[in-house]
Amino acid sequence: MKVSLVKALLSQRCPTCREGKMFKTSSFNLHFMEMNEKCPHCQIMLEPEPGFYQGAMYVGYAFSVGIVVTVSLLVMILGIDSPWVSIGIVSLITLLLVPFNFRYSRVLFLYMFGGLRYRE
Ligand SMILES: [Zn+2]
């Protein structure tokens, strides 16, 4: 069965088979950072080289900037005047989105620079 690229990326699947999960637990688990070393479905290495995911920090940084800007605009639109309340809301939402930021930055980095191609 052919799985689309977008669906595989959003469901954090292996870029090669688009079936195996890249992470061991759900995003809502405290161990959200633990990745599978190999794809549980096709056994391909999910870390192409040691330290590969250090580059994902740049993707995560871009995601963080996007989150902070979006939430700040929403806070402004809602008319919240107090700077401390605004900073608190932006910080809280950014912190709550850390698991998604962490995971999707790694998934996107692997899909873009991992050199893994889809094989049915
Ligand atoms: Zn796989």
Side-chain angles (χ1 to χ4, degrees), residues 14 16-20 39 41-44:
C14 158
T16 304
C17 64
R18 295 182 184 172
E19 295 282 335
C39 170
H41 187 259
C42 70
Q43 305 302 318
I44 200 157

Side-chain angles (χ1 to χ4, degrees), residues 73-86:
L73 287 174
L74 287 174
V75 165
M76 276 174 56
I77 290 168
L78 290 174
I80 295 168
D81 286 334
S82 165
W84 292 112
V85 173
S86 304

